Amino acid sequence: ESFPRPVIVPENQIVNKNEEAVFHCQFTAEPPPTQEWLFDGKIISNMSRTVVLSNGSLLIPQVKLRNVGVYKCVGRGQRGKPVILEATLQLAEIHDMVSLEPKTFIDNTEQRVVCYTPRGVPEPHIWWERNGVRVPTTGRVRQEAEELIFEGIVEKDAGIYTCHAANKAGGKKQDQIITVATKPTWVIKPKDVQLEEGKPAYLHCLSKASLKPSITWYRNGFLISE
């Protein structure tokens, strides 16, 4: 009974700059144990930037970069070694995302687009949106973890998709432009014509696709130059 035993164990804290942080810690023993907090190897006493509350909890009213680190709650009983409990204080942060280069896919193929999670504390959460609407996790077009998946991409899937990343520190986003290339279809096919020698002649040819097709003419298997 004279050995200190933890009743409340302090938990790691992640807060924004200038927010408050509170570590709760409590020991029990008979007679009651003594308790103190250590930071950077030094005993913490009540001061403007740190306050040890009457119940043994530690309050940091406005967390700054200098407050980041490992805090130790030490319980000392009448017998035995001191019991040391540790908890870490971190500032929330989120870094910029990797740029997403435009992509062109062939229609009716399966495609995957990866959005890489930016570095951050805590680890940012990732999701995809299109036109302000979140991409579902099921269906032909869906999100799986960090990936945007198209099962048989079609022309209507082309457009701008936005990858969002967010945590306690805030959010970041990157746009992904997707173009779907379709096979050319004929609008006007060239027709056989009979013409008088010495007069101008025109053979008309027109096709369309999601990406403008290039037109090439051959005569008897040989390329006709411009």
Side-chain angles (χ1 to χ4, degrees):
E1 292 180 350
S2 60
F3 287 81
R5 298 183 305 279
V7 177
I8 300 176
V9 177
E11 297 180 352
N12 296 333
Q13 301 283 323
I14 299 174
V15 300
N16 289 320
K17 188 176 181 180
N18 294 324
E19 284 186 350
E20 73 172 25
V22 180
F23 291 106
H24 298 290
C25 181
Q26 190 174 336
F27 295 93
T28 183
E30 189 62 43
T34 60
Q35 179 179 313
E36 60 188 10
W37 284 93
L38 300 178
F39 178 67
D40 202 19
K42 299 178 182 178
I43 296 176
I44 297 175
S45 58
N46 285 341
M47 57 183 72
S48 60
R49 62 183 184 220
T50 53
V51 179
V52 179
L53 304 177
S54 58
N55 63 355
S57 297
L58 177 66
L59 169 65
I60 305 170
Q62 289 187 316
V63 175
K64 308 291 185 183
L65 184 61
R66 63 175 176 265
N67 302 124
V68 171
V70 178
Y71 289 78
K72 296 180 180 181
C73 181
V74 183
R76 303 179 189 276
Q78 197 174 53
R79 297 178 58 191
K81 295 181 180 180
V83 177
I84 301 175
L85 305 175
E86 295 185 352
T88 302
L89 178 59
Q90 293 177 282
L91 281 177
E93 60 178 352
I94 185 168
H95 293 254
D96 290 333
M97 301 178 71
V98 177
S99 298
L100 300 174
E101 298 296 327
K103 295 183 180 294
T104 300
F105 299 127
I106 299 174
D107 69 331
N108 293 318
T109 59
E110 182 175 327
Q111 300 294 341
R112 292 173 178 259
V113 181
V114 178
C115 178
Y116 295 99
T117 304
R119 291 185 294 119
V121 178
E123 183 176 356
H125 171 62
I126 292 287
W127 75 94
W128 285 93
E129 289 184 2
R130 185 187 187 190
N131 299 327
V133 179
R134 195 158 180 161
V135 175
T137 55
T138 58
R140 185 182 61 82
V141 180
R142 64 184 184 273
Q143 177 183 345
E144 289 184 5
E146 301 173 352
E147 290 188 319
L148 181 62
I149 298 176
F150 299 89
E151 281 191 0
I153 193 168
V154 294
E155 187 175 359
K156 69 178 183 180
D157 295 328
I160 299 176
Y161 294 78
T162 304
C163 178
H164 292 264
N167 66 3
K168 186 178 178 67
K172 301 286 185 178
K173 63 181 181 179
Q174 279 287 338
D175 286 339
Q176 173 70 73
I177 299 174
I178 293 179
T179 302
V180 180
T182 58
K183 295 179 180 179
T185 57
W186 291 112
V187 177
I188 299 175
K189 292 184 179 181
K191 297 179 180 179
D192 294 340
V193 294
Q194 293 182 347
L195 301 163
E196 294 183 26
E197 186 176 2
K199 291 186 177 181
Y202 294 93
L203 298 177
H204 298 286
C205 173
L206 181 63
S207 67
K208 69 174 182 178
S210 60
L211 296 178
K212 186 179 179 180
S214 60
I215 300 294
T216 307
W217 281 91
Y218 294 83
R219 179 185 180 224
N220 298 330
F222 293 95
L223 178 67
I224 299 175
S225 68
E226 293 185 1

